[in-house]
Amino acid sequence: MNNSLWKLEIIIAAVAIIQLLYVVIRKVQPIKDYENIGSRIKMWWGMLIIFGLATLFNPVVSLISLMGLTFFALKEYFSMIKSSKADRRLYLWAYLSIPLQFYWIFIEWYGMFIIFIPIYVFLLLPIPRLINKGTVGFLRSISSVQWGLMLMVFGLSHLAYFQFATPQYGAGLVLYLVILTQLNDVVHNLTSIYYSKGKVVPTANPNLTWAGFTCGFVATTVVSFFIYPYLTPLDLTFGILSGMLISLSGFLGSLTVSVLKRDLLLGDDNKIEALKKSHLSRIDSLTYTSPVFFHVIRYFFDFM
């Protein structure tokens, strides 16, 4: 407990310094748009609170908090879909899958946790749509809901499983993952503000540039080298490789969700602008980094 509190105090101090620098930069250069970076820092504070509660009280606190995060992320995802009356029953079934997915985590049933959404929900999800006896838009409805469940529920739920898979190291691994994921996004966005040439997919996200990807990749790898001994039981090789893996998968996650949002909201610029400050925009990278990091660590290390 004392060791965890010591780690928590150091990280709180580091995030507080970053928060102070962010406030100063915004005042010095008010013309620049740093809103996206501010959202990432808020995400850091939120995860620190969850980590602190789990450390001081019980992992169930973080389980419930993360379940709420997945609910709001899925809700915002559904708000982007142009749905019909027949689709709303699908949404209800999708929401009901959230507590079940987290229940498997609570009882530590890894086998059901890993197949529940990809297999059982996938196979059973068409049933409420079939009951409506509607064929128009059937494939689009089912596939869009399944996409949302895979990203917002299945992907993010891995954050909660860390503390049950390895109670000794779980909280530190989650914090390590979140800090590096959000750092990668912050550096990427900050670099793209000053070096906006070479956009990866300009039609989907003007904030993603190759210069930003390179700087984010380097910064995330370097920071991973310095913090992995304090937050994880990883060795030097995996301490460095994990930073690279998180940066790459985070970039792919941010890119995928950006394209997904643009496709769903094509022609609705007002809604796209509003979603920049949403939960979904803050955790897009985590939908990829969480399952990738979880399964790589589980495969190579016995403590998971």
Side-chain angles (χ1 to χ4, degrees), residues 30-295:
I31 300 176
K32 300 287 186 180
D33 183 12
Y34 297 107
E35 191 63 41
N36 204 339
I37 296 173
S39 296
R40 303 293 175 177
I41 296 175
K42 288 178 182 177
M43 182 68 183
W44 283 350
W45 284 116
M47 294 307 298
L48 276 173
I49 292 171
I50 294 174
F51 172 78
L53 291 173
T55 301
L56 296 173
F57 298 103
N58 194 291
V60 176
V61 176
S62 63
L63 181 78
I64 295 172
S65 301
L66 291 168
M67 185 168 64
L69 177 67
T70 61
F71 170 79
F72 286 112
L74 187 64
K75 183 174 181 292
E76 288 178 352
Y77 171 78
F78 285 155
S79 71
M80 295 187 295
I81 301 174
K82 295 177 181 178
S83 59
S84 63
K85 187 176 180 180
D87 295 332
R88 289 167 192 167
R89 187 178 295 177
L90 275 178
Y91 297 168
L92 175 61
W93 283 89
Y95 287 133
L96 290 175
S97 71
I98 295 176
L100 282 173
Q101 177 72 356
F102 280 81
Y103 177 70
W104 311 138
I105 297 173
F106 178 70
I107 64 174
E108 300 181 46
W109 189 358
Y110 176 78
M112 182 58 79
F113 162 78
I114 210 65
I115 68 171
F116 176 63
I117 290 177
I119 296 180
Y120 289 117
V121 173
F122 172 75
L123 294 175
L124 297 175
L125 193 62
I127 294 176
R129 189 65 166 77
L130 290 170
I131 293 173
N132 288 320
K133 300 179 181 179
T135 56
V136 177
F138 175 82
L139 180 59
R140 182 183 183 279
S141 297
I142 299 299
S143 59
S144 60
V145 172
Q146 184 66 19
W147 252 96
L149 286 170
M150 286 298 296
L151 287 175
M152 314 310 161
V153 181
F154 180 73
L156 291 176
S157 65
H158 285 77
L159 286 171
Y161 209 110
F162 274 100
Q163 293 188 66
F164 289 85
T166 171
Q168 183 179 359
Y169 304 114
L173 286 167
V174 170
L175 199 54
Y176 171 81
L177 171 63
V178 172
I179 286 176
L180 290 184
T181 301
Q182 298 300 316
L183 174 70
N184 184 60
D185 289 337
V186 166
V187 174
H188 194 143
N189 280 277
L190 188 61
T191 304
S192 299
I193 289 173
Y194 293 96
Y195 301 97
S196 57
K197 294 182 179 180
K199 292 179 174 58
V200 181
V201 186
T203 56
N205 191 332
N207 296 321
L208 295 177
T209 66
W210 289 115
F213 166 72
T214 303
C215 291
F217 184 84
V218 173
T220 304
T221 304
V222 171
V223 172
S224 176
F225 170 76
F226 284 106
I227 70 172
Y228 87 87
Y230 302 100
L231 294 177
T232 76
L234 303 178
D235 55 29
L236 175 61
T237 301
F238 269 89
I240 296 173
L241 289 177
S242 293
M244 296 178 178
L245 182 68
I246 290 170
S247 178
L248 180 59
S249 57
F251 170 74
L252 292 174
S254 183
L255 182 62
T256 300
V257 175
S258 294
V259 175
L260 187 64
K261 287 191 294 185
R262 178 65 64 176
D263 178 48
L264 293 173
L265 296 175
L266 195 63
D268 196 345
D269 295 333
N270 292 329
K271 215 166 191 179
I272 291 175
E273 193 65 29
L275 280 169
K276 287 181 179 179
K277 300 178 182 179
S278 67
H279 289 84
L280 193 54
S281 295
R282 296 177 189 176
I283 51 84
D284 50 3
S285 303
L286 282 168
T287 60
Y288 267 56
T289 60
S290 300
V292 169
F293 183 63
F294 179 91
H295 291 291

